[in-house]
Amino acid sequence: MAGEARIIDGKAAAATLRAEIGREVAAIKAARGLVPGLHVVLVGEDPASKVYVASKEKLAVEVGMNSVAHRLPAETTEAELLAKLAELNADDSVDGILVQLPLPKHIDTGRIIDAIDPAKDVDGLHPINAGLLAGGKNGLVPCTPLGCMLLLRQALPSLAGLDAVVIGRSELVGRPVAQLLLQADCTVTIAHSRTRDLASVARRADIVIAAVGRPHMVKADWIKPGATVIDVGINRLEDGKLAGDVDFTEAVKVAGAITPVPGGVGPMTIACLLKNTLTAFRARRG
Ligand code: NDP
């Protein structure tokens, strides 16, 4: 008889990771008098972005980092934003720079990401970091994919040889998580909106990573019994509740382990941002 899947608790994993980071930050401060600095740049008044920036700021403070949010008005020009980034790039006390996306439409996002010093690009989106990842040589890795891998490793002692299906091919999630799975010696399939018979593609997988943005799209009968399911999707339903891309209520009866939404990948994303800030600090300042 099939039991219920193990729930992979991202909230607890993120709290553990933040506590570890906090200890390391304290040790660096005690030994060298230095404090890793995370600078988040927000342009405009997007309500969701404001909430994200506030929680990044708060959690960076909690782990003892020097946390600064630069809140710029919506009418900030591209040139002004580039000037702000040049200033942060040149400041040695700044270890991590994150520009909160999406940017207002009059600003070219690609040009902005290209202007961040790759050594301070804690979102891992700069083409140099993406290129390093594609070559199997990690620079700074995007936070959500990093969080997915940490959760996956909690559920599965060894990933080598497993079949992984990633649904979604975005630069932010799908592509980088597929690269990390490949580095972990999985056999990786990347599915997307043009994939034929997605249900049977997903059903072959030992690991399913859903990063689509469609509530409850991945059904229980898409999942191989015992498979590990990581649900990246964050979708706001009409009743205001959050839902993942996976039909959790049914999938939990088939999967071996599964992340909930909320409380799965989401909390790991910010914890991994702090982890990346520490990684960037070490790489630049020893
Ligand atoms: P994007 O919209 O950039 O990408 C979505 C991907 O899903 C695309 O590759 C698209 O395919 C694919 N897709 C869309 N519809 C289908 C379909 N019917 N069947 C198969 N594939 C489909 O989204 P993101 O990658 O940025 O985000 C994905 C989800 O993850 C969202 O819900 C987002 O909110 C969430 N998210 C959560 C984070 C967290 O911290 N937990 C962080 C970042 C994102 P195609 O390329 O062919 O168009």
Side-chain angles (χ1 to χ4, degrees), residues 4-10 154-155 248 252 256-264:
E4 288 241 318
R6 198 187 123 202
I7 309 296
I8 305 170
D9 186 346
Q154 282 202 350
F248 181 88
V252 76
I258 187 167
T259 60
V261 177

Side-chain angles (χ1 to χ4, degrees), residues 52 143-145 148 166-175 190-195 198 210-215 217 222 231-236 243-245 261 264-270:
Y52 289 137
C143 306
T144 301
C148 290
V166 178
I167 313 177
R169 55 175 163 180
S170 71
E171 277 178 69
L172 189 63
V173 189
R175 281 170 205 261
I190 306 176
H192 45 76
S193 66
R194 307 297 294 271
T195 297
L198 182 53
V212 181
R214 288 175 177 253
M217 185 185 88
W222 295 25
D231 189 353
V232 183
I234 300 181
N235 307 289
R236 183 73 63 184
D245 290 342
V261 177
V265 176
M268 285 301 279
T269 295
I270 301 187

Side-chain angles (χ1 to χ4, degrees), residues 29-60:
K29 195 171 175 185
R32 303 171 57 197
L34 296 175
V35 181
L38 172 63
H39 289 240
V40 179
V41 182
L42 171 65
V43 184
E45 300 288 331
D46 179 67
S49 294
K50 280 165 112 171
V51 173
Y52 289 137
V53 168
S55 56
K56 287 168 185 173
E57 200 181 7
K58 175 172 164 275
L59 293 173

Side-chain angles (χ1 to χ4, degrees), residues 76-171:
T76 302
T77 64
E78 191 174 290
E80 285 165 341
L81 183 53
L82 289 170
K84 170 56 79 183
L85 293 175
E87 184 193 305
L88 297 176
N89 285 342
D91 183 342
D92 194 45
S93 73
V94 176
D95 296 291
I97 303 171
L98 180 149
V99 177
Q100 184 67 42
L101 302 179
L103 287 166
K105 290 203 169 29
H106 65 276
I107 296 177
D108 181 336
T109 303
R111 210 172 283 156
I112 295 303
I113 289 170
D114 288 357
I116 299 171
D117 178 349
K120 299 186 178 188
D121 167 41
V122 281
D123 236 356
L125 294 177
H126 191 286
I128 292 212
N129 285 318
L132 285 169
L133 183 59
K137 300 186 270 307
N138 288 357
L140 289 163
V141 175
C143 306
T144 301
L146 195 56
C148 290
M149 294 306 290
L150 294 176
L151 293 179
L152 206 48
R153 287 184 188 283
Q154 282 202 350
L156 294 166
S158 169
L159 302 181
L162 297 182
D163 284 317
V165 170
V166 178
I167 313 177
R169 55 175 163 180
S170 71
E171 277 178 69

Side-chain angles (χ1 to χ4, degrees), residues 5-34:
R6 198 187 123 202
I7 309 296
I8 305 170
D9 186 346
K11 212 171 152 191
T16 304
L17 179 56
R18 290 199 308 271
E20 270 168 36
I21 294 167
R23 282 193 293 275
E24 291 188 47
V25 170
I28 291 167
K29 195 171 175 185
R32 303 171 57 197
L34 296 175

